Amino acid sequence: METEIRQVKGEEGRQAIAKAAEILGRGGLVAFPTETVYGLGGNGLDPQAAARIYAAKGRPSDNPLILHIASRKELPPLVREIPPMAERLMDAFWPGPMTLIFRKSACVPRETTGGLETVAIRFPSHPAAQALIREAGLPVAAPSANLSGRPSPTTAQHVAEDLGGRIEMILDGGPVEIGLESTIIDVTGAIPLILRPGAISLEQVRQAAGDGAFDPAILGKPDAGLRPRAPGMKYRHYAPKAELAIVTGKPEAVAEKIASLAAEKQRAGFRVGILCPEESQGRYDAALVKTVGTRAHEETIAHNLYRCLREFDQEQAEFVFSEAFDEGPMGEAIMNRLVKAAGYRILPAGGGDEKIP
Ligand code: AMP
Ligand code: MG
């Protein structure tokens, strides 16, 4: 299959979106930009479209999809009830990078929800995503538009690398704004439970809804005996080809340890990468030093993280050493992705102050 890539800007963009909506209407697949990452969209009410999404991504079909809507009016038919805490969260954060888990209504097929009785729903803020969903007149099921196990795509080029030839169309809206997937919040229980950290922080959730907590299973290693409530969290996501390790501790000690680990691997003939913030880039001289962003604005780190991981793959890095980025409101989300990408390899650098995520 030939994958058509179209820009979303201007009059041509409007035509591209109209064509994309038509593709969705007849059961096809279209990747599109959102404010978080690029999504791979299909008709959320069509079991066959769901099957095609799983096949295109190589994703296990027990890993449920998120339904995307373009107005709050589209929510009630998809769910059995809307708890008051959900109303408060939607008032505060929709449209935006927040997915809510509700009890599903009968019209949502189990093929879309990975067999679950609950359904994940998001109202994205990206204008092209909204236009596409509105024109299609459907809830659009859309997981991240990457091959399963690869970092989520933050540009149309990333989508083409992974899914070119497997889907009908890619809408190109340039690099996305946030760069990490949405915060997923289960609102079917007594309090809002964060199943996946994202740009909306626990603090913000508590402020809007009066309460909130993390699913305890997502805070430790997956083999700690707790089963994450978001099925996707149990897979080793976001995996670069290189062996990635995160070094934690005081800045001086971290820089020293990373430099010495990198030198050791380089002496042994390996291609070595280092992932660091602007603040410490001058401390390293390995072959592939990537500056992911600045600690002063941790959203820059979220924005560039997946691109950097993909670049290490392209440049065939065999070992990558990364600093930890756990400060600020997005620290939880950044470390959640980075720790998984590292397969939970966390090396304390000594010098005290070690925080094992
Ligand atoms: P992605 O769209 O690739 O970011 O993945 C969506 C993730 O949302 C899945 O991997 C699940 O972990 C989570 N999810 C979707 N639906 C549900 C649900 N009904 N209950 C819990 N988690 C869900
Ligand atoms: Mg994904």
Side-chain angles (χ1 to χ4, degrees):
M1 167 188 317
E2 181 135 9
T3 301
E4 193 179 350
I5 304 183
R6 304 272 299 265
Q7 299 291 321
V8 298
K9 286 236 170 72
E11 178 50 34
E12 277 197 31
R14 268 190 290 281
Q15 285 171 19
I17 287 170
K19 182 165 178 193
E22 193 191 300
I23 292 171
L24 292 178
R26 57 179 148 82
L29 304 185
V30 175
F32 60 97
T34 81
E35 67 277 23
T36 58
V37 299
Y38 274 74
L40 171 58
N43 178 351
L45 302 180
D46 173 2
Q48 278 172 359
R52 286 202 59 207
I53 291 176
Y54 289 117
K57 278 180 65 80
R59 175 174 180 144
S61 59
D62 68 342
N63 190 351
L65 308 176
I66 295 172
L67 291 188
H68 292 69
I69 57 177
S71 115
R72 273 172 73 167
K73 289 202 293 282
E74 296 163 35
L75 177 65
L78 303 174
V79 301
R80 281 217 251 157
E81 64 201 353
I82 303 177
M85 66 178 136
E87 300 279 7
R88 288 199 286 272
L89 290 168
M90 293 187 289
D91 288 342
F93 306 119
W94 269 8
M98 176 185 76
T99 298
L100 295 180
I101 309 286
F102 297 92
R103 277 142 49 88
K104 79 172 194 68
S105 72
C107 76
V108 178
R110 284 209 186 75
E111 285 81 355
T112 302
T113 65
L116 297 173
E117 278 306 314
T118 51
V119 61
I121 303 196
R122 185 160 96 86
F123 176 3
S125 64
H126 196 293
Q130 289 186 1
L132 175 65
I133 300 161
R134 258 198 315 272
E135 286 240 6
L138 296 163
V140 175
S144 50
N146 52 295
L147 285 175
S148 203
R150 297 262 289 152
S152 293
T154 57
T155 66
Q157 193 47 47
H158 295 163
V159 180
E161 278 165 30
D162 281 15
L163 300 179
R166 293 168 166 252
I167 62 177
E168 278 84 353
M169 193 190 263
I170 299 171
L171 291 173
D172 184 352
V176 300
E177 181 196 334
I178 295 171
L180 296 181
E181 304 82 348
S182 58
T183 304
I184 300 181
I185 309 171
D186 187 337
V187 290
T188 65
I191 62 165
L193 197 61
I194 298 186
L195 308 190
R196 176 174 74 185
I200 307 294
S201 67
L202 175 59
E203 186 73 356
Q204 285 175 290
V205 169
R206 285 182 174 155
Q207 250 166 35
D211 208 344
F214 282 119
D215 175 6
I218 65 171
L219 298 175
K221 284 195 182 191
D223 53 6
L226 294 169
R227 198 182 147 78
R229 294 167 63 105
M233 301 296 278
K234 71 176 183 280
Y235 295 104
R236 182 174 171 216
H237 260 183
Y238 328 116
K241 290 175 193 147
E243 185 172 313
L244 170 66
I246 304 165
V247 180
T248 59
K250 288 231 169 79
E252 292 292 328
V254 166
E256 220 171 278
K257 176 141 185 165
I258 288 182
S260 92
L261 286 166
E264 184 191 316
K265 291 294 178 196
Q266 268 177 328
R267 273 197 306 275
F270 293 108
R271 264 178 93 69
V272 177
I274 292 177
L275 191 66
C276 65
E278 270 170 32
E279 287 77 0
S280 60
Q281 62 185 2
R283 298 179 177 194
Y284 303 114
D285 61 0
L288 306 168
V289 179
K290 284 192 198 300
T291 305
V292 63
T294 165
R295 289 195 188 277
H297 302 282
E298 90 274 2
E299 64 276 13
T300 59
I301 294 168
H303 180 83
N304 294 313
L305 179 65
Y306 287 148
R307 176 180 55 77
C308 289
L309 293 179
R310 278 181 181 260
E311 286 174 8
F312 282 129
D313 274 357
Q314 257 161 10
E315 292 155 8
Q316 294 172 349
E318 292 164 287
F319 287 88
V320 174
F321 300 102
S322 177
E323 295 193 11
F325 303 101
D326 49 9
E327 310 97 334
M330 284 195 78
E332 196 74 48
I334 295 167
M335 288 309 284
N336 173 267
R337 309 319 193 264
L338 192 59
V339 164
K340 278 196 193 187
Y344 300 86
R345 265 183 299 273
I346 297 160
L347 312 174
D353 195 29
E354 270 132 33
K355 205 161 110 194
I356 310 292

